[in-house]
Amino acid sequence: YDSTLKTGNPTLDICLYEKLVLCQEKKIDFTFLADGKAVDFLYPEEIYSLFGNLLDNAMNAVSELEEGKRVISLSLKREFGLALIHVENYCQGTVDFRNGLPIRKDADAYHGFGTQSIAMTAKKHGGNVICHQEGEVFSIDVSLRIPE
């Protein structure tokens, strides 16, 4: 991809650009503010997996909603020695949680590996994952400890 995004991390630029193109095709409004340097310590495959799973889950959640609710926002910042990722999107119905992670009742055997992968990456890097639903809005916060 000839990415015009400049987050400060070329791998993140490519990942976000790919998801931006997919969102445009699906008429999803995807906005982000990202300090890519915050995740310089991650391997490229960790960046693709982490952000890919976060955004794929959000895209799946909003793809069947009416156009005004096909909205995803992502932020990535550094604060107190942590890389903090926040993703927010509309969702339909009530989300069920198991061990703090969202699950779907109608899921096949492979559904849920994305959120487990997100949690494993966070744990590997001394962080955690917090998911929350308030009304029609679902959010996920991922923290990763930035090595000194």
Side-chain angles (χ1 to χ4, degrees):
Y1 292 101
D2 180 24
S3 175
T4 56
L5 305 178
K6 303 292 182 210
T7 65
N9 184 300
T11 304
L12 182 62
D13 292 347
I14 292 168
C15 184
L16 292 179
Y17 183 77
E18 177 186 326
K19 299 305 179 186
L20 181 61
V21 169
L22 289 171
C23 284
Q24 289 171 344
E25 290 173 2
K26 296 179 179 191
K27 297 183 178 167
I28 297 171
D29 183 16
F30 173 39
T31 58
F32 55 88
L33 183 59
D35 174 5
K37 294 279 186 196
V39 291
D40 276 350
F41 63 94
L42 295 176
Y43 292 110
E45 57 270 17
E46 290 177 310
I47 292 172
Y48 284 120
S49 175
L50 180 61
F51 287 90
N53 282 316
L54 286 166
L55 294 171
D56 285 346
N57 290 346
M59 288 167 45
N60 286 337
V62 302
S63 64
E64 299 299 320
L65 299 177
E66 60 195 61
E67 277 195 42
K69 293 187 177 180
R70 291 183 186 179
V71 178
I72 300 169
S73 67
L74 176 142
S75 67
L76 166 62
K77 64 182 178 179
R78 287 181 277 187
E79 199 169 276
F80 306 114
L82 298 171
L84 302 173
I85 305 162
H86 177 80
V87 178
E88 196 168 280
N89 56 270
Y90 284 100
C91 63
Q92 192 169 27
T94 302
V95 177
D96 292 322
F97 295 91
R98 181 180 302 142
N99 299 326
L101 299 176
I103 59 166
R104 281 185 25 198
K105 294 176 191 170
D106 61 344
D108 60 31
Y110 295 102
H111 187 81
F113 286 144
T115 52
Q116 290 176 17
S117 173
I118 293 165
M120 286 179 8
T121 301
K123 184 177 178 181
K124 175 183 175 184
H125 293 283
N128 65 17
V129 176
I130 299 172
C131 300
H132 182 72
Q133 181 182 10
E134 188 166 322
E136 297 181 307
V137 178
F138 175 84
S139 64
I140 182 167
D141 291 288
V142 180
S143 65
L144 307 165
R145 187 161 309 284
I146 300 171
E148 294 183 22

